[in-house]
Amino acid sequence: MDFDLTEEQRLLKESIDRFAADNARDPAAHGTAPDIWPQLAELGVLALPFSEEDGGIGGGPVETMIVMEALGRGLITAPYLPSVVLGGGFLRLGGNAAQKAEFIPQVAEGSLKMAFAQLEKGSRYDLYDVSTTAKRDGGDFVLDGRKGVVLGGDDAGLLVVTARTAGSRRDHDGITLFLVDAEAPGVSRRGSAAQDGTRVAEIAFDGVRVPAGRVLGEVDGGLPLAGHVVDVALAALCADSLGAMEELQRVTVDYLKTRQQFGVPIASFQALQHRAADMLVAVEQARSMAVYAAMMAEETDILTRRPAIAAAKAQVNRSGRQVGQEAVQLHGGIAMTWEYKAGHYFKRLTTNDVIFGDTDHHLRAVMQEGGLVEEV
Amino acid sequence: MDLRFTPEEIAFRDDLRRFFREKVPAEIRKKVAEGRHLDKEDIVTSQRILNAAGLATPNWPVAWGGKDWTPVQRYIFTEELQRAAVPLPLQFNVFMVGPVIATFGSEEQKRKFLPATANVDIWWCQGFSEPGAGSDLASLRTTAEKRDGKYVVSGQKAWTTLGQHADWIFCLVRTDKSAKKQKGISFLLIDMKSPGITVRPVITIDGAHEVNEVFFDDVEVPEENLVGEENKGWDYAKFLLANERTGIARIGLSKQRLARAKRLARETEAGGGTLWDDTDFRRRVAELEVGLKALEITQMRVVANQTKRDADKPDPASSILKIKGSELQQLTTELLLEVAGPYAIPAPDHEQPEGWNEPAVSPEWADAAAPLYFNYRKVSIYGGSNEIQRNIIAKAFLGL
């Protein structure tokens, strides 16, 4: 039992924390935010999760946690989750040798961004609810369907797309994952801003021809791979939310000490002190579960991994709601303004809450697996 | 980072698991599992079994029967003890007065008291709280005046848990009325058989006799029963309460109760199936399990960092463990109450008229559910109420 970082992890943390502090997003700034993707590439964090033989650095989920926590703390909107964690996760865990050789170096050096196109009308949090079709035509597949809220989808060059090659809408079998060139004929997309300052896209696939060599993993058997990559992403999201919560909690405590009302700092009011103390408790519970998720993310036994990741997301969501709402309330009116950063952390926590499953969804998953504690 | 135990730690855990289940009588462990009150005999028997194996006082100095365990081993010990529903060693002896005497007592006090304390040949109770000194403990008013080489103690202590069984009481008393309130307090050991002591039972809402009031009417106490220095008692009390807080999360106990509630729910008929088929119920179980897992990892983080931490730096961890640990203990007793449902209504020890041989309609465990639930409201009040813990976090850690 050990919660220490290795020397290498500590150095990574120092450099990414410094980077995130220097590049923390100022939500009040007008105009286009500077593109920090080349700097992230230079830092090596885009290559982080890939193995050394694939051209990466060989980091694991703890390294991903360190990066995501820093990005959350700095309110950074660069598409690390969609491109490196999700896209990279599909290549790492499901790509064949040729696919890895072709795409991993591009993702690692930052010249190619990826996104995971899976959400459809009515599918909500069910990865297996897929209506987009992929029909065989000679040596190719032809994709037709609509995807929405594709995180980082508007400027990704390569999409991982879930499509149905067999069965009907909510069958677990018959789902195939495809690597689709975002510029391929028949792909059209509409990008838009998200609540948290990131970018999302609706993407239409109309007779998009994909060669069989671009099938990721097994035909008809894509769901377990998608489930694992999503669990890896959930662990990363827990860390992102943790980072956002840490900063929001810190900012709130600072504000309580400086804001004066009735001639005294409002920090002197016990009603507010206790709520601030409860925020700290919530952050620490979230930290524990973010660590737990990181340690379970690469577990290949789904019966061990699934309830653990679901429990982590449920706790982090719950803590995130509390910390976000309380931060706004303890600040008062100032946190309602676009100019002040507290509200933007609140918004990031709110969107993270509903990425790949809200609290109800994950509690149901914990329930379905029979829970976490049995008599010994 | 690694959550797993080493092979040595797993072997250590398995040995303890076997020991607790094989050596501690099943009927005692059943009482603990059901949350029933234990007799004095149960606690003494169980602790003597542990003591004979050198396991009653692992937190004490090695010279006085403690174990040179790592924080992880201590964590495993506590967790396994609780999961096996073994009675916790008498906390007044093992976690309170024992460490205080071992750390601040004279050599003579150590020789006289420590072996007997470990074996519960002496049953200790705690004389801290008073009617006017609860969360504000330092405002206590029981006095000890020095007269002819003796202390003469007068006053009243409240909430004296299991004082009815006690041979001795360790007390905070005021020895200097002119000093600032924390400064004039001393730590005295008092024989309960001393003339002038009266113990009056206080029955709690669960119908049990667990706590007492203890009255001191000019009780003479030999000078050598002072621990450490006069007027330094507050420091020893703070040391003692810090010991109390690290064990206070009782995660193993909550896990044991939760696991038991799940098993009972699977056995409990409801709605044409079992209670476990009720998704509303299972959802509440899942919520509880998530909170408990988070607290377990928090506790593990604290344990793993224990050796590295600067002891003088304020640490919010013990307050977090107290707040969440007590909430979860209360939620697990609430869950058991809900499993029992209407069968929780009859009070224990209901009458058995002669000649009545019908099988009971209620499950036999169900009458313990409500008293346990009532009794456990105490855990967010004692040991520094949860509001006091929030004050500690706000002041000592957040700097508010």
Side-chain angles (χ1 to χ4, degrees):
Chain A
M1 194 170 101
D2 166 21
F3 292 87
D4 290 339
L5 300 179
T6 63
E7 182 59 16
E8 281 167 341
Q9 289 167 340
R10 212 177 46 70
L11 291 172
L12 168 69
K13 183 168 170 54
E14 263 174 34
S15 71
I16 191 70
D17 282 358
R18 197 175 329 112
F19 176 83
D22 292 344
N23 293 277
R25 186 166 66 93
D26 176 7
H30 294 284
T32 327
D35 182 14
I36 59 169
W37 205 244
Q39 288 164 269
L40 287 170
E42 205 171 304
L43 273 176
V45 296
L46 302 185
L48 197 58
F50 303 108
S51 70
E52 284 168 38
E53 58 263 36
D54 289 336
I57 293 177
V62 173
E63 281 78 4
T64 298
M65 175 178 78
I66 291 167
V67 172
M68 290 295 291
E69 189 182 341
L71 298 180
R73 203 185 296 121
L75 211 56
I76 287 167
T77 50
Y80 195 82
L81 182 85
S83 191
V84 179
V85 179
L86 282 164
F90 276 111
L91 294 174
R92 278 191 308 118
L93 299 173
N96 60 31
Q99 291 163 345
K100 285 180 177 173
E102 182 176 2
F103 296 118
I104 287 179
Q106 298 181 60
V107 173
E109 70 180 22
S111 60
L112 176 69
K113 286 181 191 155
M114 294 182 70
F116 180 33
Q118 55 86 23
L119 189 82
E120 298 187 0
K121 185 171 183 294
S123 71
R124 291 177 70 84
Y125 302 124
D126 296 332
L127 284 176
Y128 52 84
D129 189 333
V130 176
S131 300
T132 295
T133 56
K135 295 202 170 68
R136 275 186 199 272
D137 184 35
D140 295 342
F141 287 85
V142 177
L143 267 64
D144 284 282
R146 298 279 177 280
K147 300 288 185 178
V149 203
V150 179
L151 307 175
D154 69 336
D155 71 340
L158 184 66
L159 307 171
V160 177
V161 183
T162 53
R164 189 156 285 293
T165 37
S168 54
R169 180 171 159 182
R170 290 175 61 82
D171 286 351
H172 288 223
D173 291 329
I175 294 165
T176 305
L177 294 157
F178 293 92
L179 289 163
V180 180
D181 181 347
E183 302 298 328
V187 177
S188 51
R189 50 185 163 173
R190 179 173 69 90
S192 58
Q195 291 295 340
D196 59 2
T198 62
R199 300 280 300 171
V200 294
E202 298 221 348
I203 306 181
F205 300 87
D206 294 300
V208 178
R209 197 160 272 283
V210 182
R214 292 291 173 89
V215 168
L216 198 56
E218 291 170 36
V219 173
D220 293 346
L223 189 63
L225 172 60
H228 192 177
V229 173
V230 165
D231 279 348
V232 169
L234 282 165
L237 266 168
C238 287
D240 186 281
S241 291
L242 171 63
M245 273 184 250
E246 284 167 350
E247 183 62 9
L248 192 46
Q249 190 258 339
R250 190 190 66 75
V251 166
T252 305
V253 167
D254 279 354
Y255 186 80
L256 292 175
K257 289 177 189 169
T258 48
R259 170 74 172 166
Q260 303 247 338
Q261 287 287 272
F262 308 102
V264 291
I266 60 173
S268 62
F269 303 136
Q270 196 180 39
L272 305 190
Q273 289 173 2
H274 281 196
R275 292 168 73 163
D278 284 336
M279 281 175 75
L280 180 80
V281 176
V283 173
E284 290 307 316
Q285 291 282 80
R287 183 188 313 282
S288 291
M289 286 310 245
V291 167
Y292 182 52
M295 295 194 199
M296 301 303 278
E298 298 283 331
E299 169 67 54
T300 47
D301 174 24
I302 187 170
L303 293 178
T304 310
R305 186 187 74 232
R306 201 73 276 293
I309 298 291
K313 184 65 162 35
Q315 176 64 54
V316 170
N317 275 357
R318 197 185 305 175
S319 290
R321 280 273 169 98
Q322 184 184 346
V323 172
Q325 292 174 358
E326 288 291 89
V328 174
Q329 180 67 23
L330 293 184
H331 273 91
I334 184 74
M336 293 301 296
T337 66
W338 193 278
E339 298 292 313
Y340 189 71
K341 67 178 178 177
H344 295 274
Y345 282 99
F346 172 50
K347 294 202 289 184
R348 188 175 184 116
L349 289 169
T350 303
T351 49
N352 280 1
D353 185 289
V354 288
I355 296 175
F356 298 126
D358 59 11
T359 309
D360 283 351
H361 175 81
H362 287 294
L363 283 175
R364 246 188 324 270
V366 172
M367 234 164 78
Q368 270 160 11
E369 307 295 345
L372 303 164
V373 183
E374 291 299 337
E375 283 178 312
V376 284
Chain B
M1 284 199 185
D2 195 344
L3 273 180
R4 289 166 301 185
F5 294 131
T6 63
E8 294 76 30
E9 288 164 349
I10 289 171
F12 175 80
R13 181 195 69 189
D14 292 345
D15 284 349
L16 286 173
R17 247 178 218 188
R18 210 170 308 117
F19 177 85
F20 290 143
R21 282 167 181 75
E22 286 172 9
K23 302 294 180 193
V24 180
E27 57 272 25
I28 295 179
R29 293 193 297 112
K30 179 167 183 281
K31 276 193 191 176
V32 175
E34 293 185 355
R36 295 182 193 275
H37 281 281
L38 298 170
D39 303 333
K40 182 178 183 178
E41 265 325 291
D42 297 330
I43 293 170
V44 171
T45 302
S46 165
Q47 184 157 334
R48 284 185 183 159
I49 291 167
L50 297 185
N51 197 37
L55 294 173
T57 57
N59 55 315
W60 289 13
V62 175
W64 293 103
K67 292 281 190 192
D68 195 13
W69 283 345
T70 62
V72 176
Q73 285 176 306
R74 280 216 288 275
Y75 168 82
I76 292 172
F77 174 78
T78 308
E79 159 105 2
E80 291 304 322
L81 184 94
Q82 293 178 3
R83 294 214 68 177
V86 171
L88 301 180
L90 190 62
Q91 58 172 338
F92 314 106
N93 287 33
V94 173
F95 298 104
M96 296 184 173
V97 76
V100 168
I101 292 175
T103 310
F104 305 105
S106 66
E107 282 309 307
E108 201 194 323
Q109 286 170 339
K110 291 178 193 174
R111 272 195 304 276
K112 177 175 175 188
F113 290 115
L114 288 179
T117 298
N119 205 45
V120 226
D121 297 331
I122 297 175
W123 183 299
W124 288 93
C125 63
Q126 180 187 26
F128 278 21
S129 298
E130 296 182 4
S135 288
D136 179 16
L137 183 59
S139 67
L140 60 90
R141 293 197 333 223
T142 297
T143 56
E145 275 177 45
K146 227 173 197 169
R147 263 185 244 157
D148 310 326
K150 286 177 180 150
Y151 290 103
V152 179
V153 178
S154 295
Q156 181 189 349
K157 293 292 175 183
W159 310 118
T160 312
T161 302
L162 302 180
Q164 70 269 35
H165 306 318
D167 306 299
W168 283 74
I169 183 168
F170 54 95
C171 279
L172 292 182
V173 293
R174 191 160 296 287
T175 36
D176 182 352
K177 283 189 235 176
S178 60
K180 203 176 141 248
K181 66 180 187 179
Q182 282 90 350
K183 300 285 179 197
I185 293 170
S186 297
F187 197 105
L188 270 190
L189 310 176
I190 305 175
D191 189 335
M192 290 290 278
K193 291 185 293 294
S194 312
I197 294 185
T198 314
V199 179
R200 193 182 77 81
V202 174
I203 305 303
T204 43
I205 50 174
D206 54 340
H209 178 195
E210 191 177 54
V211 291
N212 303 272
E213 291 177 298
V214 181
F215 298 89
F216 298 85
D217 184 12
D218 285 339
V219 177
E220 295 190 349
V221 180
E223 233 180 354
E224 65 258 29
N225 289 4
L226 174 75
V227 175
E229 290 175 49
E230 204 175 80
N231 298 327
K232 288 277 175 65
W234 188 252
D235 294 341
Y236 312 146
K238 276 202 305 194
F239 166 87
L240 175 156
L241 291 171
N243 274 337
E244 185 186 5
R245 261 171 221 142
T246 48
I248 215 157
R250 298 204 172 162
I251 290 160
L253 192 68
S254 288
K255 274 189 182 171
Q256 180 266 327
R257 295 224 166 99
L258 183 61
R260 182 166 169 270
K262 286 169 74 171
R263 176 174 55 77
L264 292 172
R266 291 188 189 109
E267 294 167 2
T268 295
E269 289 178 61
T274 72
L275 185 56
W276 192 243
D277 302 326
D278 178 345
T279 52
D280 290 341
F281 175 82
R282 271 167 64 192
R283 148 118 192 182
R284 275 206 310 288
V285 172
E287 280 182 39
L288 235 165
E289 291 190 297
V290 168
L292 193 54
K293 175 56 82 177
L295 191 67
E296 183 185 13
I297 308 277
T298 303
Q299 167 116 324
M300 289 167 94
R301 282 168 47 210
V302 173
V303 168
N305 284 321
Q306 230 158 39
T307 47
K308 281 169 259 154
R309 216 176 62 76
D310 176 0
D312 294 332
K313 242 175 85 189
D315 180 14
S318 61
S319 293
I320 292 173
L321 291 173
K322 167 67 178 33
I323 293 171
K324 292 313 276 189
S326 57
E327 286 175 1
L328 286 162
Q329 287 179 70
Q330 291 177 333
L331 285 167
T332 53
T333 60
E334 198 174 330
L335 194 69
L336 281 163
L337 178 77
E338 286 167 16
V339 177
Y343 308 105
I345 292 172
D349 304 321
H350 24 92
E351 300 120 62
Q352 281 286 348
E354 237 173 280
W356 176 264
N357 290 318
E358 296 298 316
V361 170
S362 302
E364 60 97 21
W365 54 267
D367 63 354
L372 183 68
Y373 166 71
F374 297 142
N375 184 274
Y376 263 62
R377 303 320 294 172
K378 73 188 176 189
V379 299
S380 52
I381 300 169
Y382 70 30
S385 74
N386 286 13
E387 289 67 34
I388 292 289
Q389 303 303 329
R390 291 184 174 91
N391 287 349
I392 293 171
I393 293 174
K395 289 200 168 54
F397 189 71
L398 299 178
L400 296 176

